[in-house]
Amino acid sequence: MLRFAPSPTGDMHTGNLRAAIFNYILAKQKGEAFLLRIEDTDTSRNIEGKDKDIMFLLTLFGISWDNLVYQSNNFPRHRQLADYLISQGKAFYCYCTKEFLEAKREEAKKNKIAFRYQDSWALLQKDSHSNPVIRLKGSSEPMSFYDEIKGEVKFDCNEVDSFVIIKEDGIPTYNFACAVDDMLYDVDFIVRGEDHVSNTPKQILIHKGLNYAKKIQFAHLPIILNEEGKKMSKRDNASSVQWLLNEGFLPQAIANYLILIGNHTPCEVFTMQEAISWFDIKRIAKAPARFDIDKLRFLNREHFKRLNELDLAALLGYKDTSIGGLAKLYLQEASTLNELKTKIDRIFFNKTKLLEQEKEGEILELKEEFNTLHNTLLKLLESLDWQNTSYEEFKTKAMQESNLKGKRFFKPLRYLLTGFEHGPELNDLFLYLRNFLKDILRK
């Protein structure tokens, strides 16, 4: 079984989504079930409703799950297994206070050595501290595991000291709940961010303590860097999946990009469903991938081109297929849904009012020509069959009736038809615009 295990403590970021996509693809390739596990053990940081947000986003990206689990529902099982480890002498109660441990950390820092917990400290404060944690005994020998991306990963014996598995409040730690639930639900392949590499030996040690011998594959994904080459953080807008969606990037384009970066793919533009046929986790580069918003813009345009015109029109809030065709012409200069919507919506703005709001541009010097041409076109609306009129016929007739030529004709004409001074060729636009001229030219 494959799993995606987000915590409901904040918005989903692109690294999370990338892991979800890869796990989903692998589950489909292997014909195995896909588990969505909400890791809500950090009760103080859980945000109400974030679990629903996670599910909504996954669904939006075409990721479905076979099983849904809330980790907190397994608390009794976690405690039962912790008690078992104590009974086997593999775990023990530790009465050290936070203040005691902090003093030991400062001492190690002062002596310029790595802090390591000593099992001999466990009972030192038993008489004064009645609320212990439970710790699993650390490894007395070197540990290693094979990573499908990184290869062999090794840890010295002193790197994995005895660690907490049940906190003072009785709630399991992340590592313990994660390892136990992977065991309970028969997870056999774990794909997650490389920030979890240091957690892996602890989780392996938990499995060994519980006599769980099932072979689990691991793949730790390199971090995503921002455009400056630094680790992405919440300060980087593009780290938020919701921000990308709000900006008007299509889910299919975002998924395409997250599969593409740091990967060797047979083509640049594809859907997640298409990637299932060729995706290979071993081809992911070991080095961090840098987020390139311009590349995402390119992919977004390509996925807009793949949409049929009716679907594109619907995304823009219109019902007419012609609007979808019109929008595709604007892909020459727009790459997000927001940019396209600005272009299309402006076509239907009242141009007289729009011109009054302009602060700069050549069109301001052509107000008289604008008004002359506007009145001319309104009159022509009554006499011409616009839906069967070519652009050349329209242009010739409008020039004759307005007595305008050159820039004095074309600048106001473009502004009247589109609300912009520049844009795609009017000859191409007119094929679609002629269907809406009464709405476009209204006063």
Side-chain angles (χ1 to χ4, degrees):
M1 179 181 286
L2 278 292
R3 50 84 158 171
F4 175 54
S7 62
T9 55
D11 293 337
M12 186 184 291
H13 58 74
T14 48
N16 288 144
L17 179 60
R18 190 179 184 215
I21 290 170
F22 288 1
N23 277 291
Y24 177 76
I25 289 175
L26 287 166
K28 291 298 180 184
Q29 286 181 334
K30 291 159 68 73
E32 294 186 3
F34 180 60
L35 169 70
L36 174 59
R37 186 173 74 215
I38 306 297
E39 298 197 331
D40 56 347
T41 57
D42 195 346
T43 54
S44 63
R45 295 180 59 230
N46 290 339
I47 300 173
E48 187 175 354
K50 282 299 175 184
D51 56 333
K52 301 297 188 295
D53 290 346
I54 291 167
M55 292 180 217
F56 172 78
L57 285 176
L58 292 177
T59 302
L60 190 65
F61 279 84
I63 297 174
S64 57
W65 50 92
D66 302 287
N67 299 300
L68 171 64
V69 173
Y70 283 81
Q71 204 163 50
S72 58
N73 291 339
N74 288 332
F75 280 173
R77 187 69 168 139
H78 300 147
R79 182 61 197 227
Q80 181 185 30
L81 291 173
D83 289 340
Y84 169 78
L85 288 168
I86 290 175
S87 71
Q88 298 298 302
K90 297 174 180 177
F92 57 92
Y93 289 107
C94 171
Y95 294 85
C96 295
T97 62
K98 293 177 181 177
E99 293 76 15
F100 174 86
L101 292 172
E102 185 57 36
K104 290 295 185 182
R105 284 192 184 89
E106 287 300 318
E107 185 181 320
K109 184 178 179 181
K110 185 177 179 180
N111 294 325
K112 297 182 179 180
I113 59 174
F115 172 76
R116 294 285 181 260
Y117 174 85
Q118 304 295 321
D119 292 2
S120 59
W121 300 342
L123 302 178
L124 291 178
Q125 296 181 288
K126 185 175 181 179
D127 293 337
S128 59
H129 187 217
S130 59
N131 205 16
V133 299
I134 299 176
R135 288 180 181 269
L136 184 76
K137 287 185 177 179
S139 177
S140 59
E141 55 188 31
M143 296 183 65
S144 67
F145 68 90
Y146 182 80
D147 188 286
E148 300 296 336
I149 296 172
K150 298 178 174 298
E152 196 74 18
V153 182
K154 298 179 179 181
F155 297 85
D156 292 335
C157 54
N158 65 344
E159 287 188 75
V160 188
D161 51 9
S162 298
F163 57 94
V164 178
I165 58 173
I166 300 291
K167 294 180 284 188
E168 289 183 357
D169 56 9
I171 293 175
T173 58
Y174 163 77
N175 277 312
F176 191 60
C178 180
V180 168
D181 286 352
D182 284 339
M183 180 181 75
L184 294 178
Y185 295 96
D186 199 28
V187 173
D188 59 7
F189 200 154
I190 296 173
V191 180
R192 55 191 178 189
E194 69 176 3
D195 52 323
H196 287 286
V197 167
S198 61
N199 291 323
T200 303
K202 294 180 179 180
Q203 293 168 17
I204 291 173
L205 204 58
I206 291 166
H207 285 166
K208 287 177 68 175
L210 294 171
N211 303 313
Y212 185 69
K214 185 180 180 73
K215 175 69 175 176
I216 295 179
Q217 288 178 272
F218 292 95
H220 291 87
L221 303 172
I223 60 172
I224 299 176
L225 304 177
N226 62 20
E227 292 181 301
E228 286 74 46
K230 298 177 181 178
K231 182 179 179 180
M232 258 194 172
S233 69
K234 291 180 180 179
R235 291 188 296 274
D236 298 295
N237 287 330
S239 70
S240 166
V241 175
Q242 192 59 57
W243 183 85
L244 293 173
L245 293 169
N246 291 344
E247 285 294 296
F249 289 100
L250 297 171
Q252 53 268 45
I254 298 171
N256 185 160
Y257 182 67
L258 293 178
I259 297 169
L260 180 70
I261 56 173
N263 196 359
H264 299 285
T265 61
C267 55
E268 270 196 318
V269 184
F270 49 81
T271 66
M272 186 165 61
Q273 290 301 317
E274 290 167 348
I276 291 172
S277 65
W278 48 255
F279 179 80
D280 184 353
I281 193 73
K282 293 181 180 180
R283 295 180 72 85
I284 301 295
K286 296 179 183 180
R290 183 175 296 200
F291 197 97
D292 183 350
I293 197 75
D294 291 331
K295 187 68 173 183
L296 178 56
R297 285 181 176 277
F298 161 75
L299 292 173
N300 212 43
R301 281 195 297 271
E302 294 304 307
H303 281 278
F304 274 127
K305 292 175 186 177
R306 284 187 166 202
L307 290 174
N308 67 56
E309 294 180 357
L310 185 59
D311 287 343
L312 180 51
L315 281 175
L316 292 164
Y318 294 86
K319 296 180 180 179
D320 197 300
T321 303
S322 296
I323 297 296
L326 190 59
K328 288 196 174 185
L329 293 177
Y330 276 102
L331 288 173
Q332 301 168 27
E333 55 191 61
S335 59
T336 69
L337 193 61
N338 292 2
E339 291 169 354
L340 280 178
K341 189 163 176 56
T342 297
K343 300 289 185 185
I344 300 302
D345 288 351
R346 198 170 168 105
I347 289 171
F348 296 97
F349 284 172
N350 182 302
K351 303 307 188 306
T352 302
K353 292 181 179 178
L354 197 60
L355 185 57
E356 292 171 357
Q357 298 168 12
E358 295 286 2
K359 298 289 192 294
E360 58 183 4
E362 286 185 89
I363 191 64
L364 293 175
E365 301 170 10
L366 298 168
K367 281 187 177 180
E368 186 176 337
E369 289 84 350
F370 169 89
N371 290 326
T372 297
L373 185 58
H374 197 181
N375 290 328
T376 298
L377 295 181
L378 288 172
K379 290 178 183 177
L380 287 176
L381 278 177
E382 306 300 324
S383 59
L384 287 180
D385 178 11
W386 293 103
Q387 291 189 344
N388 294 306
T389 301
S390 70
Y391 175 67
E392 286 301 318
E393 292 174 300
F394 163 75
K395 180 181 69 174
T396 301
K397 193 70 174 175
M399 276 185 172
Q400 290 173 349
E401 295 294 324
S402 66
N403 291 317
L404 296 173
K405 295 180 181 178
K407 183 176 74 172
R408 294 174 59 242
F409 172 78
F410 287 106
K411 277 281 183 183
L413 178 63
R414 177 177 289 280
Y415 197 86
L416 278 165
L417 293 181
T418 70
F420 290 97
E421 293 188 50
H422 307 282
E425 293 292 331
L426 285 176
N427 185 41
D428 297 327
L429 293 173
F430 188 76
L431 177 65
Y432 301 100
L433 294 177
R434 64 186 181 183
N435 299 321
F436 309 103
L437 283 177
K438 286 188 177 180
D439 291 326
I440 293 171
L441 296 172
R442 72 185 187 283
K443 283 210 171 186

